[in-house]
Structure formats: structure tokens, C-alpha cells
Amino acid sequence: MSAERAVDLARLIDLIEQFPRQTILVLADFVADEFVLGDISRVSREAPVLILRRRQMHTLPGGGANAVNNLADLGARVRPVATVGDDAAGEALAEYFRRKKIDASGLVRKRGWTTPAKTRFLAGWAHTVQQQVLRVDREPERLPDGTSDLLVHKARERIADVSAVLLSDYGYGSATPEIVAGVRGRGRWRKPVTLDSRYRLHEYEGLGLTAATPNEAEMEAAHATEIGGNASKLDVLARRTMARLNLSALLVTRGRHGMTAFERRRAPHPLAVFGSDQAVDVTGAGDTVIAAFTLTLAAGGTVLEAAQIANYAGGIVVMKRGTATVTREELAAAVRSDATENRTEGSSGYAK
């Protein structure tokens, strides 16, 4: 392994060690990821369906709440701002973060509003791996009047001394272009601002964002065209998105093809998947990616360094089942392991 390569990996370790010094404001759509585990009892006499003997249920932070959870497990101080309902799912999310010593005072509790929730039913025989057999989603109506103004107020109260801002827009109303504009005000952002938007990437035009982290399917939807794994076509569309939103960078995740980092006036930088390309579970992997990417930028890393660290984090989390996170210790260990492996083999673990 070359000295240059060794310095690169040492630099990534240095950046990861800076994570606990960072404070991140997260404006997000919170989702409750509920998992109902059961044993297959028999086939119903009423219909050709399985009967599950329910064993347990647990709730984990999903959507933008999963980005918050990843930031916390990576060592950062997090200030989340989001809307939750006064229902069991909303209370479960708030309590989860209180137990982890994450400030939940930025959560807006709305009476009668449904906290977005995705309930996954997992079934299996005794001594077998549980498999998902059904997912039931609960989706809210539009946010009540006045909620957007309250979210802007809470975000502006918490933004003064943060290292970066992460926007996680799942389409439920807590992180919209209008709210982001209200948080920004008439001035300019004085810290990195990153965006993960599922449905309206291009609607954030003119808001002065630093970077966005769409997946390839979201890029296809934004441009109403098919990329089909074509790197040249992705390059063209990425440049269009960057120009339209005036972004400094775009990190596009591409499943088993890894991810590609784009910067102004630089050639695209593809990164092969870290670890295995046979993912165990991709649930919430995009939240992990933007958390690691944002945190690295906040720590002073370059776009490429942030993409490399996000690539490690993504490769780790897709090998875990369910909505999972990556810890700072796991991330540092992966970089060190990659360095050792490449020193032994004399080759690079991912494209430079």
C-alpha cells in the first residue's frame, strides 16, 4: 500500500475521532419503525394465510429519526426538530431519544395527528431466521395549521452553534422547502447543509444547500428518466441537479454498484461497495449514509473524505437486520481493518 493511501486512511480515522465534538441540527420527518415478531402457528382455515403467534413488538426510530439515531451512535450531539403525534408511536420515539440522552425538546407534539409508522410483521419457525411477511403503513394527513411556523421557530432557536444542518424529507411535512426557507431566513447558511429528499429533490432550488444524497431511483424520478446503471447518464443528470440547486456536491447511492460522489469542476468519483455486495437488509441505509456524510463535513472533511466514510458506514449497516445504526467504534474498526487488509495484499479496497 502506498504512503499516500496510508495517509488517506489515517486522515479518515482522525475525522471519525472528531465526531464527538460536532453538534448537528436535524430537521426531519420522523417515522416509527415497528417490528412485530411471531412464530408461524398454522395456516388459517378462513383464508390461505399464515397465522402468527405474536411473541414481541418493538419500535425503532425510522425515517429522519433514524438519521438522528445514527448521528448519536456515531458520537455527535444531536438537536432534532420534527413533528410527532400524541399517539403511542409518537411517545415511543420521544421516549427512545430521552433514554439515549438526546434532547427531545425540539419535537412538536400534535394532538390528533398520526405519527408516520411502518409496521413490519416478521415470521418464522422455531430455530429459523425471521422473514418479513407483511408491512402495514400508517400515514398522517397534512400538518395542522401553525405547525410549520412552530418548527421554524424551534429550528432557529437551536441553530446558532451547530456544526451542520441535516434535512431529512420523507414527504410528511416537517422538512419542506418552505420550512427550510424559514429557517434560513434572508441570510446565508454559515455551516454545511445536507439534504435527503425522497420525492421533491428539485424543489429545494435557491435555498443555498451544500450537498444532497439521493439514491439512483430518486434521481430517475427527479429527471423523469431511466438511468439503468449507466454511469455516463448518471453523470449528466447529476450535473443538472447540482446546477439547478447550486450544490457543491452530490452523493448518489447506487445499491450494489456502490455510490458516486460528484463535485463542481471535478470528474465523478465512484466508490465500490465496502464489504459484501450481498446486502442482508437495506432498511434505512440512506439515513446512515447521510448521517456519516454530514458528520464528516462538519468535522472539516472534504467531500471525497465524507463520501469514503459514508461508504464504510453504508457497507456496515446493510449487513445488519432491521432499522440499524453504525457506531463510531465500528466505523473506525472498518477503516483500520481495510488498511490492514490492503497493507497485506498491496491493493486498494475501493476505487480511489
Side-chain angles (χ1 to χ4, degrees):
M1 185 174 65
S2 69
E4 179 184 0
R5 171 70 174 168
V7 169
D8 287 343
L9 291 173
R11 166 68 174 164
L12 298 189
I13 295 293
D14 288 342
L15 288 166
I16 292 168
E17 290 176 349
Q18 296 298 315
F19 285 0
R21 300 182 182 182
Q22 313 309 316
T23 302
I24 311 297
L25 174 69
V26 181
L27 180 63
D29 286 315
F30 272 21
V31 178
D33 277 353
E34 300 173 343
F35 295 87
V36 179
L37 283 69
D39 296 324
I40 298 173
S41 173
R42 62 185 187 278
V43 176
S44 173
R45 296 178 180 177
E46 302 169 0
V49 297
L50 299 174
I51 295 177
L52 304 184
R53 183 181 296 110
R54 175 168 163 163
R55 289 192 292 107
Q56 59 179 298
M57 172 180 166
H58 60 271
T59 301
L60 293 173
N66 186 35
V68 171
N69 206 23
N70 271 274
L71 286 166
D73 283 353
L74 287 169
R77 296 181 292 271
V78 196
R79 296 176 182 170
V81 175
T83 310
V84 295
D86 62 342
D87 50 11
E91 177 55 34
L93 289 176
E95 178 59 23
Y96 182 96
F97 288 130
R98 283 195 291 265
R99 289 198 307 268
K100 290 191 74 164
K101 309 301 183 184
I102 297 172
D103 181 9
S105 64
L107 301 186
V108 177
R109 300 292 297 269
K110 280 295 175 180
R111 180 174 299 177
W113 192 73
T114 300
T115 303
K118 300 175 182 180
T119 306
R120 297 170 175 88
F121 292 82
L122 289 84
W125 304 101
H127 312 300
T128 64
V129 175
Q130 299 276 310
Q131 300 290 336
Q132 186 176 159
V133 296
L134 177 68
R135 193 179 100 180
V136 178
D137 290 0
R138 300 194 300 277
E139 299 190 342
E141 302 294 329
R142 65 184 298 273
L143 286 178
D145 292 342
T147 308
S148 295
D149 291 340
L150 187 52
L151 289 166
V152 169
H153 176 71
K154 283 183 173 288
R156 297 196 72 166
E157 279 186 328
R158 290 160 174 77
I159 200 172
D161 59 347
V162 302
S163 313
V165 178
L166 189 158
L167 310 172
S168 180
D169 176 10
Y170 274 77
Y172 297 118
S174 289
T176 66
E178 294 74 22
I179 291 174
V180 173
V183 176
R184 180 195 184 199
R186 296 184 179 180
R188 301 177 63 182
W189 301 105
R190 297 182 178 180
K191 58 262 309 171
V193 182
T194 59
L195 169 69
D196 181 9
S197 178
R198 176 160 291 188
Y199 303 110
R200 48 189 170 201
L201 175 64
H202 286 167
E203 293 181 28
Y204 287 82
E205 182 176 355
L207 292 177
L209 308 184
T210 306
T213 63
N215 60 38
E216 194 165 297
E218 289 162 352
M219 287 292 290
E220 290 178 330
H223 292 274
T225 189
E226 184 176 340
I227 297 171
N230 186 314
S232 297
K233 192 167 188 179
L234 175 62
D235 186 16
V236 170
L237 299 182
R239 302 297 175 185
R240 289 179 185 172
T241 291
M242 290 178 67
R244 181 166 179 172
L245 299 183
N246 194 28
L247 299 175
S248 297
L250 193 71
L251 180 64
V252 181
T253 56
R254 308 181 63 205
R256 62 185 178 85
H257 298 295
M259 56 183 69
T260 304
F262 297 90
E263 294 182 79
R264 295 176 184 172
R265 297 178 292 278
R266 292 191 178 183
H269 193 104
L271 295 168
V273 171
F274 170 70
S276 172
D277 62 359
Q278 300 298 314
V280 171
D281 194 335
V282 299
T283 303
D287 305 316
T288 300
V289 166
I290 194 171
F293 183 76
T294 305
L295 200 42
T296 307
L297 292 180
T302 66
V303 168
L304 181 53
E305 289 166 341
Q308 289 172 329
I309 287 177
N311 191 46
Y312 280 109
I316 296 167
V317 82
V318 297
M319 301 310 294
K320 301 181 180 184
R321 293 192 179 277
T323 309
T325 64
V326 173
T327 67
R328 187 165 59 95
E329 293 75 17
E330 287 176 319
L331 190 54
V335 177
R336 291 191 180 99
S337 174
D338 203 22
T340 302
E341 180 180 336
N342 285 298
R343 185 158 48 244
T344 301
E345 298 179 0
S347 62
S348 173
Y350 53 76
K352 282 285 290 170

